[in-house]
Amino acid sequence: MSICTDHSMINHHVGVLAQFAEKVRLWRQRHSERDSLAHLSERDLHDVGLSWSEVMVEAEKPFWRA
């Protein structure tokens, strides 16, 4: 049998919220980076060594997929 104190439950909820906040931050970052990538010019793509088709594959991924 386990005993949960109010303090341990609060710490658990804070940890879960922190993990969720980090996940949302990561999703927003992915969305922003993919949007920026999709708006690069042909010259910029050439400079970084990417083709337009490679960019489209990445840009079309949903934000939750790495």
Side-chain angles (χ1 to χ4, degrees), residues 4 16 19 32 48 63 65:
C4 290
V16 169
Q19 289 174 348
S32 176
V48 296
F63 62 86
R65 187 172 304 149

Side-chain angles (χ1 to χ4, degrees), residues 10-57:
I10 290 170
N11 285 341
H12 171 74
H13 291 305
V14 169
V16 169
L17 289 174
Q19 289 174 348
F20 179 73
E22 177 59 24
K23 185 64 75 173
V24 170
R25 186 202 63 76
L26 177 63
W27 289 344
R28 291 177 59 124
Q29 180 182 357
R30 283 183 188 153
H31 175 75
S32 176
E33 289 174 357
R34 289 174 179 161
D35 186 59
S36 295
L37 190 60
H39 288 91
L40 291 177
S41 69
E42 287 290 331
R43 181 177 175 92
D44 293 334
L45 293 176
H46 178 74
D47 288 347
V48 296
L50 294 173
S51 69
W52 184 246
S53 61
E54 291 171 315
V55 168
M56 286 293 89
V57 167

